[in-house]
Amino acid sequence: MDGSAPRRDGQESAESTSFVDRRTELAFGRRMLAGSRLVTLTGPGGVGKTRLATRLADRVRRTFPDGVRFVHLSGLDDPALVPLAAADALGLHQIADRLVIARRTAEGHVERILGKLGLNNRSQLAAWVTARR
């Protein structure tokens, strides 16, 4: 895919092609983020959702001291997997440690998710996710 790739390291994204003027959409995205911490961009493939999300994240990064995260949902064909994708992007265990939630509590949630997916361990989950990308 041409354009930019979301980065997980908190640095600005490198764009390989020019960004067509999307000031109106960027301003709207900023207003949406002022009222909600979760914003979802939807639309047909190829219209620039990822580019817009990446540019918006780069522009608002300083507003969110804990950072911004990109959750790529295009490969998911089951809505039940959205929470897993979000947990992966957010680093579930890192959150548990920072919020002083017991690791066992976080692991209990992961075990319940695995059970709902019919999997036995995280290795199976990793293989399952990889097969669907």
Side-chain angles (χ1 to χ4, degrees):
M1 174 165 91
D2 284 339
S4 60
R7 294 184 51 148
R8 294 179 183 250
D9 59 6
Q11 300 297 316
E12 286 193 18
S13 304
E15 293 181 355
S16 59
T17 60
S18 63
F19 185 75
V20 177
D21 184 28
R22 304 279 291 267
R23 284 184 224 169
T24 303
E25 291 88 349
L26 285 170
F28 181 73
R30 284 180 182 218
R31 286 193 305 274
M32 294 299 294
L33 283 169
S36 176
R37 295 301 178 238
L38 174 64
V39 174
T40 304
L41 301 178
T42 61
V47 298
K49 297 176 300 293
T50 300
R51 289 289 292 283
L52 180 60
T54 302
R55 178 65 63 99
L56 181 59
D58 287 344
R59 297 273 171 93
V60 302
R61 191 171 309 281
R62 289 186 302 267
T63 306
F64 299 97
D66 291 327
V68 295
R69 301 291 183 271
F70 179 89
V71 181
H72 202 31
L73 302 176
S74 69
L76 301 181
D77 53 5
D78 181 354
L81 301 178
V82 171
L84 285 175
D88 180 51
L90 294 171
L92 181 62
H93 289 293
Q94 290 174 359
I95 291 172
D97 291 341
R98 286 180 53 188
L99 295 177
V100 193
I101 296 172
R103 181 166 294 276
R104 184 64 197 131
T105 300
E107 289 173 356
H109 290 298
V110 170
E111 288 172 11
R112 281 189 286 287
I113 291 168
L114 289 173
K116 288 182 179 187
L117 293 174
L119 303 174
N120 296 317
N121 57 53
R122 292 182 183 154
S123 296
Q124 288 179 343
L125 178 60
W128 186 87
V129 170
T130 301
R132 283 162 178 72
R133 286 191 174 178

